[in-house]
């Protein structure tokens, strides 16, 4: 018996499974009528907010205290620095802010608990400063309005306890040293070209040079993430929190795998960002166990509101959908019809372990791997594929090309040079623009630092046999 | 028996952008589904009069109040995935989803989760 394709050649769509929820009483208090169903469990309106708060604190509390031998006593929370909150005006970050205020801004003298060493009161701010960081992304879209004033007005009720830090997406191109990259060359040579362009123009030039809608969306997400990281370091923050829900996290995990960033998804459950001075910023997603549906119900019953974003109504760039938007549609459909599947995605990804530490690593040998897995040229009979060694980067960022490609992960490399709708790079409609694409300011900073590290390692290798061991030096 | 139902419809989570940026709407609907819209599950017209339900309301909203981007609101005869529907402060999955029979002065809240994190 063989497994054959179904004779019907029309497109098959999985039938939607109709869920019939049982009316009943709340599973928690066993008293009130159930008002919302979350993965087959029914909760009343009174017990539901406490459930969300418990999930929220269950993720965030264990990360507050620095993990060292001088950490405060168990039960009291005291962070090593300040807290930076990534705020977009959307559902997750609105819920996140409300939960932060409810959970951690209770004055100590009003806190619950007997007090003393054995029963410390659970109140007071764990962080010295709480900073709400909003990144205005209107510059990335044509004719998009600046929402900074609207966001600041919406956060009026948080003034006094929170500080507001407005930033812009084009800040990624501030204070740059005019480094540009040639996207027509897969090795991505980086050059220095003086430019009088404003950061906004450089941002637009960078984004318009990207090959696909997916690249565009991915680049914006990366810029936002790195601006938040750098801001956290600049403001002596020990924690950076984001309002990523379970649903959003599932979307970003599947998106990452589809975009070639599967190497780093094991780090999505939490990252520790190590600054050059050794300071650590913990990236935490306290709503990672709360679904979008729960966030929406919480929003309603706590009388919160999101800031509507008209960019959501705009059509995708070039009329084509990105991997991200397709993934989002898929995951949201799953959450409606098969809600347990969404949490299964996150649980499965949590089991992945990264074998590196620090910020998102770049797996080595991307160029060679791409050469092996893709057909680049039509081969004649008996012609063999060339296996030349990859080009090595030169030492300094000068007029001689420094190659960016060896320092990129697969996902970032593909974001810049994906071979799809843009067609052949030589015949690209972008013309000369593609040869001098501005780069975010941290690219040349990191290239120079990598170059310096490499030179130090090379020099150390040359004189290794003459170096004294630490033990020999003390004798 | 009233021939019209008065309902309070509220949009949240950014969904109001599709409805003239107005969150609160008071709508008046017939108590029974008009004959030309009264279809059975097999697609044929059902001669028996059926009381207005949530599915009928959603299609009415699409036809009469929705200003743009229909695909961000509806998916077939139901709301697009990612929109939470509350009927009198209760999850519509508990109340029977689209088959819930509407009553006078019911409050229907639709909250979009598509504005992300």
């Amino acid at each position: 018996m063989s497994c054959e394709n179904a004779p019907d050649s029309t497109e098959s769509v999985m039938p939607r499974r109709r869920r019939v929820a049982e009316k009943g009483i709340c599973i928690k208090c066993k008293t009130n009528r159930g008002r919302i169903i979350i993965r087959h469990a029914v909760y009343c309106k009174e017990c539901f907010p406490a459930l969300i708060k418990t999930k929220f604190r269950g993720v965030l509390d264990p990360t507050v205290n620095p993990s060292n031998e001088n950490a405060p006593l168990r039960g009291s929370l005291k962070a090593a620095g300040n807290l930076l909150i990534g705020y977009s005006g959307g559902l997750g970050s609105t819920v996140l802010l409300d939960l932060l205020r409810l959970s951690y801004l209770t004055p100590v003298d009003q806190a619950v608990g007997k007090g003393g060493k054995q029963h410390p009161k659970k109140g007071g701010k764990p962080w010295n400063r709480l900073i709400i960081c909003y990144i205005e992304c209107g510059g990335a879209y044509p004719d998009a309005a600046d929402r900074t004033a609207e966001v600041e007005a919406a956060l009026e009720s948080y003034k006094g306890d929170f500080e507001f830090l407005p930033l812009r997406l084009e800040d990624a191109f501030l204070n740059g040293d005019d480094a540009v990259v040639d996207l027509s060359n897969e090795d991505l040579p980086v050059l220095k070209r003086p430019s009088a362009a404003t950061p906004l123009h450089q941002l637009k030039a960078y984004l318009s040079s990207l090959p696909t809608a997916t690249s565009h969306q991915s680049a914006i997400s990366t810029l936002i993430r790195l601006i938040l990281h750098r801001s956290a370091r600049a403001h002596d923050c020990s924690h950076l929190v984001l309002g990523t829900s379970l649903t959003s996290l599932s979307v970003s995990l599947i998106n990452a795998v589809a975009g070639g960033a599967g190497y780093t998804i094991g780090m999505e459950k939490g990252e520790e960002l190590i600054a050059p001075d050794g300071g650590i910023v913990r990236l935490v997603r306290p709503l990672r166990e709360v679904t979008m549906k729960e966030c929406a119900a919480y929003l309603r019953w706590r009388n919160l509101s999101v800031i509507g974003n008209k960019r959501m109504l705009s059509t995708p760039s070039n009329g084509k959908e990105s991997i991200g938007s397709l993934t989002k549609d898929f995951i949201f459909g799953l959450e409606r019809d098969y809600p347990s599947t969404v949490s299964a995605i996150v649980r499965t990804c949590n089991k992945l372990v990264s074998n590196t530490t620090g910020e998102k690593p770049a797996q080595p040998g991307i160029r060679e791997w791409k050469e092996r897995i893709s057909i680049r040229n039509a081969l004649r009979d008996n012609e063999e594929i060339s296996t030349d060694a990859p080009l090595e980067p030169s030492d300094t960022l000068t007029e001689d090309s420094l190659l960016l490609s060896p320092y990129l992960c697969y996902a970032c490399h593909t974001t810049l040079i994906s071979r799809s709708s843009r067609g052949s790079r030589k015949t690209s409609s972008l013309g000369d623009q593609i040869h001098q694409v501005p780069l975010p300011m941290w690219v040349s900073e990191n290239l120079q630092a990598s170059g310096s590290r490499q030179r130090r390692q090379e020099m150390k290798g040359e004189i290794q046999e003459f170096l004294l061991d630490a033990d020999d030096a003390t004798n | 028996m009233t021939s019209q139902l008065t309902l309070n419809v509220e949009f949240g989570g950014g969904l109001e952008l599709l409805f003239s940026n107005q969150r609160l709407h008071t709508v008046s609907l017939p108590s029974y589904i008009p004959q030309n819209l009264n279809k059975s599950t097999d697609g044929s017209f059902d001669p028996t009069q059926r009381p207005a339900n949530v599915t009928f309301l959603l299609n009415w909203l699409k036809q009469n109040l929705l200003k743009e981007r229909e695909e961000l609101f509806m998916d077939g005869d139901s709301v697009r995935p990612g929109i939470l529907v509350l009927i009198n402060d209760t999850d519509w999955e508990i109340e029977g989803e689209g088959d819930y029979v509407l009553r006078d002065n019911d409050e229907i809240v639709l909250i979009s989760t598509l504005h992300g994190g």
Side-chain angles (χ1 to χ4, degrees):
Chain A
M1 184 168 68
S2 63
C3 178
E4 297 176 350
N5 289 334
D8 185 3
S9 61
T10 57
E11 183 180 335
S12 296
V13 177
M14 182 187 283
R16 189 190 159 192
R17 189 175 77 179
R18 182 66 184 275
R19 293 167 55 206
V20 180
E22 293 290 332
K23 291 188 182 185
I25 59 171
C26 173
I27 196 172
K28 226 170 140 41
C29 66
K30 307 279 194 293
T31 306
N32 297 327
R33 180 191 165 212
R35 293 285 189 172
I36 189 163
I37 179 165
I38 303 294
R39 271 179 274 166
H40 315 295
V42 177
Y43 299 92
C44 69
K45 199 172 156 181
E46 289 70 28
C47 292
F48 181 75
L51 167 75
I52 302 303
K53 189 177 167 187
T54 300
K55 287 187 185 182
F56 166 82
R57 292 203 67 161
V59 174
L60 186 51
D61 277 5
T63 70
V64 172
N65 294 340
S67 51
N68 57 54
E69 50 194 42
N70 296 321
L73 296 170
R74 189 174 68 90
S76 67
L77 299 174
K78 189 61 188 170
N82 304 318
L83 175 69
L84 190 77
I85 304 148
Y87 179 79
S88 65
L91 180 58
S93 44
T94 301
V95 171
L96 174 69
L97 268 185
D98 188 68
L99 285 166
L100 279 169
R101 181 162 59 178
L102 271 185
S103 302
Y104 299 108
L105 294 186
T106 308
V108 177
D109 57 350
Q110 296 174 24
V112 175
K114 296 178 185 176
K117 284 188 179 181
Q118 295 302 318
H119 305 282
K121 289 190 176 184
K122 295 189 178 183
K125 281 193 304 185
W127 300 274
N128 299 327
R129 293 164 60 201
L130 298 101
I131 306 164
I132 302 173
C133 180
Y134 167 71
I135 301 175
E136 172 54 51
C137 300
Y141 304 93
D143 303 324
D146 190 324
R147 301 162 70 223
T148 306
E150 188 183 356
V151 168
E152 188 170 12
L155 296 174
E156 187 68 29
S157 64
Y158 290 94
K159 276 186 182 176
D161 293 318
F162 295 81
E163 300 170 33
F164 181 56
L165 175 66
L167 298 174
R168 309 187 72 82
L169 197 64
E170 51 265 36
D171 291 349
F173 295 86
L174 271 176
N175 305 323
D177 59 359
D178 304 322
V180 297
V181 66
D182 183 356
L183 292 187
S184 66
N185 184 335
E186 202 169 280
D187 291 323
L188 300 173
V190 177
L191 305 168
K192 259 194 177 181
R193 288 286 183 268
S195 170
T198 62
L200 179 61
H201 283 108
Q202 291 186 59
L203 169 70
K204 288 182 186 293
Y206 172 66
L207 293 176
S208 64
S209 301
L210 297 175
T212 61
T214 299
S215 302
H216 191 269
Q217 200 176 67
S218 174
I220 292 172
S221 298
T222 301
L223 289 175
I224 290 172
R225 183 170 64 83
L226 289 172
I227 290 173
L228 286 174
H229 289 184
R230 292 172 71 92
S231 301
R233 291 176 185 168
H235 289 84
D236 297 323
C237 294
S238 57
H239 292 80
L240 166 61
V241 293
L242 303 177
T244 312
S245 66
L246 174 70
T247 317
S248 295
L249 188 57
S250 301
V251 172
S252 65
L253 288 171
I254 298 296
N255 208 21
V257 173
Y263 188 72
T264 60
I265 60 172
M267 302 178 72
E268 288 294 332
K269 55 179 177 283
E271 291 176 49
E272 284 197 348
L273 317 168
I274 302 173
D277 62 357
I280 294 176
V281 178
R282 284 180 180 161
L283 171 59
V284 188
R285 297 177 173 87
L287 298 180
R288 56 179 293 113
E289 295 180 3
V290 181
T291 63
M292 276 294 195
K293 180 181 177 181
E294 291 170 278
C295 288
Y298 184 91
L299 186 92
R300 171 68 182 171
W301 288 335
R302 288 282 301 160
N303 290 318
L304 307 172
S305 54
V306 301
I307 301 171
N309 188 349
K310 289 185 179 171
R311 283 200 296 271
M312 299 294 291
L313 303 179
S314 61
T315 53
S317 58
N318 301 324
K320 295 179 183 176
E321 293 197 79
S322 62
I323 290 177
S325 59
L326 293 171
T327 307
K328 192 173 180 179
D329 286 346
F330 171 64
I331 296 293
F332 275 61
L334 268 186
E335 184 173 277
R336 179 186 66 178
D337 299 332
Y338 303 92
S340 299
T341 312
V342 175
S343 64
I345 293 172
V346 175
R347 282 199 310 273
T348 304
C349 291
N350 280 346
K351 294 176 184 174
L352 298 174
V353 177
S354 173
N355 60 0
T356 57
T357 57
E359 301 201 39
K360 292 198 173 185
Q363 66 274 43
I366 293 302
R367 284 289 314 279
E368 298 88 338
W369 191 45
K370 281 193 170 186
E371 293 285 343
R372 286 200 305 272
I373 66 172
S374 53
I375 298 173
R376 296 305 186 88
N377 300 296
L379 298 177
R380 298 188 193 88
D381 288 340
N382 302 321
E383 187 173 345
E384 292 185 359
I385 299 172
S386 170
T387 54
D388 291 341
L391 296 171
E392 293 295 332
S394 57
D395 290 339
T396 57
L397 180 61
T398 63
E399 288 295 318
D400 300 321
S401 300
L402 179 66
L403 302 178
L404 183 60
S405 180
Y407 299 99
L408 296 179
C409 67
Y410 180 93
C412 288
H413 193 256
T414 304
T415 293
L416 293 176
I417 62 137
S418 172
R419 297 185 177 206
S420 50
S421 57
R422 194 167 63 192
S424 166
R425 283 186 291 279
K426 291 183 180 177
T427 59
S428 167
S429 59
L430 293 168
D432 288 339
Q433 178 186 334
I434 200 172
H435 299 293
Q436 296 185 17
V437 179
L439 290 171
M441 57 181 167
W442 49 75
V443 174
S444 54
E445 289 172 8
N446 289 337
L447 278 176
Q448 287 176 329
S450 295
S452 299
R453 278 197 299 273
Q454 191 172 12
R455 284 196 299 279
R456 283 197 298 274
Q457 287 169 0
E458 287 171 352
M459 287 168 57
K460 189 175 180 182
E462 288 174 5
I463 62 172
Q464 185 66 41
E465 59 180 305
F466 302 106
L467 293 175
L468 295 174
D469 292 334
D471 292 339
D472 292 342
T474 55
N475 289 339
Chain B
M1 182 185 302
T2 56
S3 59
Q4 292 283 318
L5 295 172
T6 300
L7 304 169
N8 301 304
V9 179
E10 184 175 344
F11 299 105
L15 198 56
E16 63 273 17
L17 291 174
L18 305 182
F19 294 89
S20 310
N21 210 13
Q22 185 180 334
R23 292 189 60 182
L24 296 167
H25 298 259
T26 302
V27 302
S28 183
L29 245 64
S31 305
Y32 289 86
I33 300 173
Q35 200 60 30
N36 61 321
L37 299 175
N38 191 11
K39 286 186 180 177
S40 299
T41 50
D42 63 0
S44 60
F45 286 104
D46 188 344
T48 59
Q49 213 175 17
R50 287 198 293 154
N53 55 21
V54 172
T55 298
F56 173 62
L57 169 65
L58 294 175
N59 282 293
W60 187 94
L61 291 172
K62 181 178 74 173
Q63 294 297 328
N64 296 283
L65 290 186
L66 184 68
K67 297 302 177 192
E68 55 188 316
R69 302 300 301 276
E70 173 185 323
E71 71 279 11
L72 294 182
F73 177 58
M74 296 285 288
D75 177 22
D77 267 344
S78 182
V79 288
R80 179 189 162 131
I83 295 179
L84 171 67
V85 183
L86 298 175
I87 302 172
N88 299 323
D89 239 10
T90 303
D91 191 347
W92 78 329
E93 290 183 29
I94 296 177
E95 299 288 22
E97 293 194 358
D99 293 334
Y100 170 84
V101 174
L102 294 166
R103 293 175 294 188
D104 203 28
N105 291 319
D106 271 350
E107 181 188 60
I108 313 296
V109 177
L110 300 109
I111 303 171
S112 170
T113 61
L114 298 172
H115 272 58

